[in-house]
Amino acid sequence: MDVLVNNAGFNVYGPFWETSAQKELQMMQVHMVTLTHLTKLFLPGMLERKFGKVLNLASTASFTPGAGDAVYCATKAYVLSFSEAIAEELKGTGVTVTALCPGPTKTEFAERAEMADTKIFQGSLSSAAEVARAGYRALMQGRTSVVVGLNNKLMIFSLRFSPRNLVTKIGKSLLSRSPSTSQTAVRPSH
Ligand SMILES: NC(=O)c1ccc[n+]([C@@H]2O[C@H](COP(=O)([O-])OP(=O)(O)OC[C@H]3O[C@@H](n4cnc5c(N)ncnc54)[C@H](OP(=O)(O)O)[C@@H]3O)[C@@H](O)[C@H]2O)c1
């Protein structure tokens, strides 16, 4: 196989002491263990053919701690770090690895995680088509990572100059429920 896309994922939203350990372990399995294992299984054939492309779904969440969504953000930090590291190892082999980092996007994701009323999902959302196009372009170009959308690019760039504790607090605020919707919000059931 020439192209592997590790896209499957979901979120377990809520304060860490309230969320389901079982669901979080499943999420860690899908985002980290399975993604790593599939990459391990497909790379030898790609290296033999001196051609192959791997696209791993990271996130803008890969760049920040996520108070209120701690395990999800940590798993996406893993995806970015792992992808960047093996992309570097594979330089000159004909095989590339690309980490795709979308911000909030209009899919089933937020509803499934019962977090559609959070501030981050009340802001401007990318379309799935926009994310898919950016991912496809970056994959074809063999780029190591791509952040989708100008606003997300600017936000990620600004993080480089921000103290980590400030970044953590901003992340917490964006991941909190929007005041205009929080009265009707359904608490996550785990
Ligand atoms: N939407 C966003 O705001 C956003 C932002 C950044 C990154 N991402 C990442 O983008 C990727 C795709 O998410 P999406 O936005 O397209 O969400 P989605 O609409 O909920 O789709 C998630 C996909 O992952 C599959 N999946 C979920 N849990 C799985 C499991 N345990 N085993 C196998 N497949 C599983 C789902 O399959 P079924 O439909 O069969 O369950 C579905 O195809 C994820 O890795 C997500 O973390 C999403």
Side-chain angles (χ1 to χ4, degrees):
M1 188 196 276
D2 288 341
V3 178
L4 168 66
V5 180
N6 284 309
N7 173 70
F10 61 99
N11 201 340
V12 183
Y13 174 75
F16 180 67
W17 68 87
E18 285 184 4
T19 46
S20 152
Q22 195 194 352
K23 286 183 183 171
E24 279 166 344
L25 292 174
Q26 281 169 2
M27 179 169 63
M28 291 164 75
Q29 174 74 36
V30 173
H31 293 185
M32 301 194 295
V33 179
T34 305
L35 176 145
T36 305
H37 198 186
L38 285 173
T39 307
K40 179 80 96 185
L41 291 174
F42 281 95
L43 276 184
M46 291 178 173
L47 285 166
E48 212 173 288
R49 294 188 295 277
K50 298 184 173 32
F51 183 80
K53 293 178 181 301
V54 180
L55 186 70
N56 287 335
L57 258 291
S59 168
T60 50
S62 303
F63 297 88
T64 63
D69 203 15
V71 180
Y72 177 81
C73 294
T75 65
K76 291 299 178 179
Y78 173 91
V79 175
L80 179 62
S81 171
F82 168 71
S83 303
E84 288 178 319
I86 59 170
E88 187 61 30
E89 289 178 3
L90 289 163
K91 286 266 158 71
T93 63
V95 180
T96 58
V97 177
T98 302
L100 173 58
C101 305
T105 305
K106 274 174 254 163
T107 64
E108 304 291 309
F109 178 88
E111 290 292 342
R112 284 182 176 184
E114 297 180 7
M115 63 184 300
D117 60 341
T118 52
K119 286 181 197 159
I120 195 159
F121 278 100
Q122 299 290 306
S124 79
L125 306 183
S126 302
S127 68
E130 182 191 355
V131 173
R133 268 195 300 270
Y136 179 78
R137 262 198 310 270
L139 184 73
M140 289 302 124
Q141 292 166 354
R143 289 179 59 186
T144 300
S145 66
V146 61
V147 174
V148 183
L150 182 61
N151 286 348
N152 292 323
K153 282 185 171 64
L154 289 172
M155 192 267 290
I156 297 302
F157 183 71
S158 72
L159 294 181
R160 293 186 195 173
F161 310 103
S162 311
R164 189 79 169 165
N165 61 350
L166 178 65
V167 171
T168 306
K169 285 191 194 317
I170 292 171
K172 181 182 182 183
S173 168
L174 287 172
L175 286 163
S176 63
R177 295 193 190 278
S178 171
S180 58
T181 54
S182 59
Q183 283 179 340
T184 54
V186 180
R187 296 285 295 161
S189 56
H190 296 295

